[in-house]
Amino acid sequence: MKVLLVEDDQFHASYMEDVLVETLPEVTQIFHAVNGQEAEREARAMSIEAVVMDLRMSQCNGIEAAQILWQERADTRILFWSNYADEAYLRGISAIVPEDSAYGYLLKTAPRDRLKLALRAVLVEGQIMVDREIHRLQRRTSSPRNTLDDSEFAVLLDLSLGLQDRMIAERQGMSLRTVQNRLLSLYDKLGVEDVSDDETPINKRVRALNRALITRTLNIETLETAEREFERWQSSRA
């Protein structure tokens, strides 16, 4: 079995390679990429069937790379390995994983034995395995009272790009009133208080972005991806 290790930190890459060799005698070759773009090229060239993927990388992050890999080969088995338990990452993975595909999401702080279990479960046995802390995040975000739905999240991303309501409506195929209703809903879910007196004026859009970053509903990779998608959208309108 060929495994592609996508990791831009040399220490983590060496550690993971040691664990792969120790844990999986089925592995015949280990290839290495330091960002998502390299991962896409290596996966195509070497017909990779199993991947260990960091999430936070320059140029092309792990979710963007995984989306391409799964589009080209839906049965690719991917273990996401990250320092971060962000809702933004969890939402991103959930949005792209093909039906019946094997994947995992493990934190880099997980014990070595736990990592070994995850590698075998995902890359060899084709199971789904998610870190306990990620499970806790899933339970927290499973409540509609606190979690943005897909349309609210799309409006939040456009808000983060600095778009006004009419542009958001055009991009999302919504009416202006629907956009405004989504904004009110996401303000409520993110805990943006209704402060309107003269002594404490507040810009709700900026406050919503602040709250989204603090709660990890958004992170820098999500914003970078949104910017690239917006640029493509603008180009398509030209």
Side-chain angles (χ1 to χ4, degrees), residues 155 158 163-172 179 205:
V155 170
D158 281 353
L163 305 188
Q164 295 300 314
D165 293 1
R166 292 189 184 279
M167 180 68 77
I168 296 174
E170 180 184 349
R171 252 174 68 80
Q172 300 302 329
V179 170
R205 300 172 90 92

Side-chain angles (χ1 to χ4, degrees), residues 167 170-171 226-238:
M167 180 68 77
E170 180 184 349
R171 252 174 68 80
E227 180 66 28
R228 287 191 285 269
E229 290 177 350
F230 178 62
E231 289 172 357
R232 287 193 290 269
W233 179 75
Q234 282 188 306
S235 297
S236 69
R237 298 171 71 225

Side-chain angles (χ1 to χ4, degrees), residues 126-145:
Q127 299 180 25
I128 296 173
M129 186 169 181
V130 178
D131 195 286
R132 292 186 182 90
E133 187 170 342
I134 308 300
H135 270 307
R136 287 195 289 271
L137 177 62
Q138 284 178 317
R139 287 195 295 271
R140 181 178 68 80
T141 60
S142 63
S143 169
R145 184 175 61 85

Side-chain angles (χ1 to χ4, degrees), residues 2-191:
K2 299 176 183 177
V3 174
L4 176 60
L5 171 56
V6 190
E7 172 61 67
D8 60 357
D9 181 275
Q10 186 58 50
F11 172 79
H12 285 128
S14 297
Y15 175 76
M16 176 58 78
E17 189 164 347
D18 288 345
V19 178
L20 279 166
V21 171
E22 178 184 333
T23 307
L24 304 180
E26 298 89 344
V27 174
T28 56
Q29 291 177 285
I30 299 174
F31 300 91
H32 185 218
V34 298
N35 59 55
Q37 291 179 347
E38 284 190 13
E40 293 167 21
R41 290 195 295 268
E42 287 288 333
R44 290 190 196 100
M46 303 300 171
S47 299
I48 298 295
E49 56 197 23
V51 180
V52 178
M53 182 82 75
D54 190 15
L55 285 170
R56 180 169 290 186
M57 296 177 291
S58 62
Q59 298 182 40
C60 176
N61 64 53
I63 291 176
E64 291 175 305
Q67 184 174 24
I68 298 297
L69 298 187
W70 272 327
Q71 286 173 350
E72 297 183 357
R73 183 170 178 167
D75 62 348
T76 303
R77 299 173 177 184
I78 302 179
L79 175 63
F80 296 98
W81 192 48
S82 176
N83 281 316
Y84 306 97
D86 290 6
E87 180 185 339
Y89 285 142
L90 184 59
R91 183 185 289 271
I93 294 169
S94 300
I96 65 171
V97 61
E99 188 175 358
D100 300 326
S101 289
Y103 76 96
Y105 187 169
L106 194 70
L107 294 179
K108 291 181 179 178
T109 53
R112 192 180 183 94
D113 287 346
R114 181 73 174 170
L115 175 56
K116 290 180 178 181
L117 287 173
L119 288 169
R120 175 156 295 280
V122 177
L123 303 188
V124 177
E125 298 173 0
Q127 299 180 25
I128 296 173
M129 186 169 181
V130 178
D131 195 286
R132 292 186 182 90
E133 187 170 342
I134 308 300
H135 270 307
R136 287 195 289 271
L137 177 62
Q138 284 178 317
R139 287 195 295 271
R140 181 178 68 80
T141 60
S142 63
S143 169
R145 184 175 61 85
N146 299 320
T147 306
L148 304 185
D149 64 27
D150 290 342
S151 63
E152 292 163 352
F153 188 73
V155 170
L156 176 63
L157 284 176
D158 281 353
L159 178 154
S160 75
L161 294 167
L163 305 188
Q164 295 300 314
D165 293 1
R166 292 189 184 279
M167 180 68 77
I168 296 174
E170 180 184 349
R171 252 174 68 80
Q172 300 302 329
M174 299 176 181
S175 69
L176 186 60
R177 181 177 293 276
T178 299
V179 170
Q180 292 166 346
N181 286 337
R182 296 295 183 275
L183 285 168
L184 290 174
S185 181
L186 70 86
Y187 291 159
D188 179 60
K189 291 180 178 180
L190 290 171

